[in-house]
Amino acid sequence: MNDQWEFLLCAGLGRGFTGTWVESGDTEAVAALLGADLTSRQDCDLATAMAHYRPMAFTERIWAGPHSDGWTHALTISGPPPVTTGLVEAGLRFLQIHTMDAQVHDLLYGDGVTTAWATQRWYGEVIADPGSMVEPYLREVGRPAMPEAVHSGSWITEPEYHGRTCLEIYLFLTGRMSGRFIDSEWLGEKRSLYTVPLPTVM
Protein backbone atom coordinates (compact mmCIF):
# COMPACT_ATOMS: atom_id res chain seq x y z
CA MET A 1 0.00 0.00 0.00
CA ASN A 2 1.33 3.43 -0.97
CA ASP A 3 1.58 6.26 1.56
CA GLN A 4 -1.84 7.86 1.14
CA TRP A 5 -1.00 10.94 3.19
CA GLU A 6 1.92 11.73 0.88
CA PHE A 7 -0.48 11.76 -2.07
CA LEU A 8 -2.79 14.15 -0.19
CA LEU A 9 0.15 16.37 0.77
CA CYS A 10 1.29 16.54 -2.85
CA ALA A 11 -2.25 17.59 -3.80
CA GLY A 12 -1.86 20.61 -1.49
CA LEU A 13 -3.98 19.44 1.46
CA GLY A 14 -1.28 19.87 4.10
CA ARG A 15 -3.09 22.66 6.00
CA GLY A 16 -5.97 20.31 6.70
CA PHE A 17 -8.67 18.24 5.09
CA THR A 18 -11.88 16.40 5.81
CA GLY A 19 -12.60 13.23 3.87
CA THR A 20 -15.98 11.49 4.15
CA TRP A 21 -16.34 7.98 2.74
CA VAL A 22 -20.00 6.91 2.35
CA GLU A 23 -21.34 3.46 1.50
CA SER A 24 -23.56 4.52 -1.39
CA GLY A 25 -23.06 4.58 -5.13
CA ASP A 26 -25.45 7.52 -5.56
CA THR A 27 -23.05 10.45 -5.47
CA GLU A 28 -25.65 13.14 -5.95
CA ALA A 29 -27.83 11.75 -3.17
CA VAL A 30 -24.81 11.66 -0.84
CA ALA A 31 -23.94 15.26 -1.72
CA ALA A 32 -27.53 16.29 -0.94
CA LEU A 33 -27.44 14.44 2.40
CA LEU A 34 -24.25 16.35 3.25
CA GLY A 35 -26.14 19.60 2.62
CA ALA A 36 -24.83 20.44 -0.85
CA ASP A 37 -26.66 22.84 -3.15
CA LEU A 38 -27.06 20.54 -6.17
CA THR A 39 -27.55 23.52 -8.50
CA SER A 40 -23.98 24.66 -7.69
CA ARG A 41 -22.45 21.53 -9.24
CA GLN A 42 -19.25 22.00 -11.23
CA ASP A 43 -17.57 18.88 -12.65
CA CYS A 44 -13.80 19.26 -12.38
CA ASP A 45 -10.56 17.63 -11.37
CA LEU A 46 -8.99 18.14 -7.97
CA ALA A 47 -6.48 20.69 -9.22
CA THR A 48 -9.37 22.91 -10.37
CA ALA A 49 -11.28 22.37 -7.12
CA MET A 50 -8.19 23.30 -5.11
CA ALA A 51 -8.41 26.89 -6.40
CA HIS A 52 -11.08 27.19 -3.67
CA TYR A 53 -8.99 25.49 -0.96
CA ARG A 54 -9.43 27.41 2.28
CA PRO A 55 -9.68 25.19 5.36
CA MET A 56 -12.28 26.47 7.84
CA ALA A 57 -13.44 29.26 5.52
CA PHE A 58 -16.98 30.59 5.82
CA THR A 59 -17.84 29.22 2.37
CA GLU A 60 -18.17 25.43 2.53
CA ARG A 61 -17.38 23.38 -0.57
CA ILE A 62 -17.11 19.63 -1.11
CA TRP A 63 -15.63 17.72 -4.05
CA ALA A 64 -17.66 14.53 -4.31
CA GLY A 65 -17.78 11.56 -6.65
CA PRO A 66 -17.50 7.79 -7.04
CA HIS A 67 -14.78 6.24 -4.92
CA SER A 68 -15.18 2.50 -5.46
CA ASP A 69 -18.00 0.10 -6.25
CA GLY A 70 -20.85 1.15 -3.96
CA TRP A 71 -18.91 3.94 -2.24
CA THR A 72 -18.82 7.72 -2.65
CA HIS A 73 -16.12 10.05 -1.37
CA ALA A 74 -16.58 13.70 -0.42
CA LEU A 75 -13.50 15.84 0.15
CA THR A 76 -14.01 19.14 1.94
CA ILE A 77 -12.25 21.85 -0.09
CA SER A 78 -13.23 24.76 2.14
CA GLY A 79 -15.24 25.34 5.26
CA PRO A 80 -15.90 23.09 8.27
CA PRO A 81 -16.43 19.32 8.06
CA PRO A 82 -19.81 18.46 6.53
CA VAL A 83 -22.59 17.56 8.94
CA THR A 84 -23.33 13.81 8.84
CA THR A 85 -26.83 13.89 10.35
CA GLY A 86 -28.40 13.26 6.93
CA LEU A 87 -26.25 10.16 6.40
CA VAL A 88 -27.34 8.75 9.75
CA GLU A 89 -31.00 9.46 9.04
CA ALA A 90 -30.68 7.72 5.66
CA GLY A 91 -29.16 4.64 7.32
CA LEU A 92 -25.84 4.89 5.45
CA ARG A 93 -22.51 3.68 6.76
CA PHE A 94 -19.70 6.23 6.59
CA LEU A 95 -16.26 7.17 7.89
CA GLN A 96 -14.94 10.70 8.27
CA ILE A 97 -11.32 11.80 8.76
CA HIS A 98 -10.61 15.38 9.82
CA THR A 99 -7.25 17.11 10.21
CA MET A 100 -6.34 20.74 10.81
CA ASP A 101 -2.76 21.94 10.70
CA ALA A 102 -0.83 19.36 12.72
CA GLN A 103 -3.85 18.05 14.61
CA VAL A 104 -5.48 14.76 13.64
CA HIS A 105 -8.96 14.43 15.10
CA ASP A 106 -10.52 11.11 16.07
CA LEU A 107 -12.19 9.14 13.28
CA LEU A 108 -15.97 9.58 13.16
CA TYR A 109 -17.92 6.64 11.79
CA GLY A 110 -21.56 5.64 11.39
CA ASP A 111 -22.88 2.11 11.08
CA GLY A 112 -26.24 3.08 9.60
CA VAL A 113 -27.89 3.38 13.00
CA THR A 114 -25.63 5.43 15.22
CA THR A 115 -22.27 7.21 15.19
CA ALA A 116 -19.15 6.67 17.28
CA TRP A 117 -15.46 7.57 17.37
CA ALA A 118 -12.31 5.56 16.79
CA THR A 119 -10.10 7.29 19.32
CA GLN A 120 -6.36 7.71 19.76
CA ARG A 121 -4.14 6.74 22.62
CA TRP A 122 -1.02 8.76 23.20
CA TYR A 123 1.34 6.07 21.93
CA GLY A 124 -0.29 5.67 18.51
CA GLU A 125 -2.93 3.03 19.16
CA VAL A 126 -6.45 3.50 17.81
CA ILE A 127 -9.34 1.96 19.74
CA ALA A 128 -13.02 1.51 18.91
CA ASP A 129 -16.03 -0.01 20.64
CA PRO A 130 -16.01 -3.83 20.72
CA GLY A 131 -18.19 -5.20 17.94
CA SER A 132 -18.10 -1.95 15.95
CA MET A 133 -17.84 -1.99 12.17
CA VAL A 134 -14.21 -0.80 12.27
CA GLU A 135 -12.99 -3.26 14.90
CA PRO A 136 -12.11 -6.12 12.48
CA TYR A 137 -9.93 -3.77 10.45
CA LEU A 138 -8.24 -2.42 13.56
CA ARG A 139 -7.32 -6.00 14.41
CA GLU A 140 -5.52 -6.16 11.07
CA VAL A 141 -3.48 -3.13 12.07
CA GLY A 142 -2.60 -4.67 15.43
CA ARG A 143 -1.20 -2.91 18.44
CA PRO A 144 1.72 -0.55 17.83
CA ALA A 145 5.09 -1.11 19.37
CA MET A 146 5.20 0.89 22.58
CA PRO A 147 7.62 3.76 21.94
CA GLU A 148 10.03 4.87 24.58
CA ALA A 149 8.27 7.56 26.56
CA VAL A 150 9.80 10.99 26.48
CA HIS A 151 10.09 12.32 30.02
CA SER A 152 10.27 15.98 30.85
CA GLY A 153 10.36 16.39 34.60
CA SER A 154 7.29 14.54 35.84
CA TRP A 155 5.46 14.84 32.48
CA ILE A 156 5.18 12.30 29.70
CA THR A 157 4.67 13.80 26.24
CA GLU A 158 3.25 12.27 23.09
CA PRO A 159 5.88 10.54 20.98
CA GLU A 160 6.98 12.24 17.78
CA TYR A 161 4.78 11.48 14.74
CA HIS A 162 1.87 10.32 16.94
CA GLY A 163 -0.70 12.16 14.79
CA ARG A 164 0.84 10.88 11.56
CA THR A 165 0.68 7.30 12.85
CA CYS A 166 -3.00 7.62 13.75
CA LEU A 167 -3.79 9.30 10.43
CA GLU A 168 -2.19 6.44 8.53
CA ILE A 169 -4.31 3.99 10.52
CA TYR A 170 -7.47 5.95 9.72
CA LEU A 171 -6.60 6.04 6.01
CA PHE A 172 -5.94 2.29 6.13
CA LEU A 173 -9.37 1.71 7.69
CA THR A 174 -11.15 3.77 5.04
CA GLY A 175 -9.25 2.02 2.27
CA ARG A 176 -9.96 -1.46 3.57
CA MET A 177 -13.64 -0.80 4.24
CA SER A 178 -14.32 0.97 0.95
CA GLY A 179 -12.14 -1.34 -1.12
CA ARG A 180 -9.94 1.42 -2.52
CA PHE A 181 -6.92 3.37 -1.30
CA ILE A 182 -5.96 6.89 -2.37
CA ASP A 183 -3.31 6.96 -5.12
CA SER A 184 -2.29 9.13 -8.05
CA GLU A 185 -5.09 7.73 -10.24
CA TRP A 186 -7.64 8.63 -7.55
CA LEU A 187 -6.31 12.18 -7.37
CA GLY A 188 -6.49 12.56 -11.15
CA GLU A 189 -10.18 11.72 -11.51
CA LYS A 190 -13.00 14.18 -12.13
CA ARG A 191 -15.65 14.64 -9.47
CA SER A 192 -18.28 17.28 -8.72
CA LEU A 193 -17.59 20.43 -6.73
CA TYR A 194 -20.57 21.68 -4.73
CA THR A 195 -21.23 24.60 -2.42
CA VAL A 196 -22.75 23.66 0.94
CA PRO A 197 -24.87 26.53 2.29
CA LEU A 198 -24.10 27.17 5.93
CA PRO A 199 -27.11 26.95 8.25
CA THR A 200 -28.73 30.27 9.00
CA VAL A 201 -28.68 31.47 12.58
CA MET A 202 -32.14 32.23 13.93
Side-chain angles (χ1 to χ4, degrees), residues 104-119:
V104 178
H105 296 263
D106 291 339
L107 174 76
L108 174 66
Y109 64 92
D111 61 8
V113 178
T114 187
T115 59
W117 300 90
T119 58

Side-chain angles (χ1 to χ4, degrees), residues 33-55:
L33 290 170
L34 292 174
D37 173 7
L38 299 184
T39 65
S40 69
R41 175 176 171 175
Q42 174 191 352
D43 293 335
C44 62
D45 59 17
L46 181 57
T48 301
M50 286 296 287
H52 302 280
Y53 180 61
R54 287 165 185 77

Side-chain angles (χ1 to χ4, degrees), residues 13-190:
L13 292 160
R15 285 173 50 207
F17 82 100
T18 300
T20 308
W21 288 253
V22 184
E23 192 175 31
S24 170
D26 190 338
T27 298
E28 192 168 86
V30 168
L33 290 170
L34 292 174
D37 173 7
L38 299 184
T39 65
S40 69
R41 175 176 171 175
Q42 174 191 352
D43 293 335
C44 62
D45 59 17
L46 181 57
T48 301
M50 286 296 287
H52 302 280
Y53 180 61
R54 287 165 185 77
M56 300 309 292
F58 289 107
T59 301
E60 186 174 0
R61 290 184 173 90
I62 58 171
W63 185 64
H67 175 69
S68 60
D69 187 22
W71 283 80
T72 291
H73 184 267
L75 177 67
T76 299
I77 298 297
S78 68
V83 176
T84 57
T85 306
L87 303 178
V88 177
E89 292 173 348
L92 297 177
R93 298 200 309 165
F94 71 90
L95 305 105
Q96 187 177 84
I97 295 174
H98 173 53
T99 73
M100 181 52 60
D101 296 325
Q103 183 178 6
V104 178
H105 296 263
D106 291 339
L107 174 76
L108 174 66
Y109 64 92
D111 61 8
V113 178
T114 187
T115 59
W117 300 90
T119 58
Q120 308 165 38
R121 289 189 175 168
W122 74 269
Y123 50 88
E125 183 182 15
V126 173
I127 58 173
D129 293 335
S132 70
M133 71 179 196
V134 299
E135 187 188 30
Y137 304 99
L138 280 175
R139 284 200 297 268
E140 287 184 40
V141 174
R143 293 175 65 92
M146 175 69 82
E148 185 175 342
V150 179
H151 293 272
S152 175
S154 60
W155 295 97
I156 299 176
T157 62
E158 288 182 352
E160 194 175 6
Y161 307 124
H162 163 80
R164 171 70 180 267
T165 300
C166 294
L167 177 57
E168 288 174 351
I169 292 171
Y170 293 153
L171 288 167
F172 172 80
L173 292 177
T174 59
R176 283 287 289 114
M177 287 197 66
S178 68
R180 185 182 186 188
F181 294 96
I182 293 170
D183 55 20
S184 56
E185 182 180 349
W186 187 94
L187 291 173
E189 294 174 355
K190 280 194 174 182

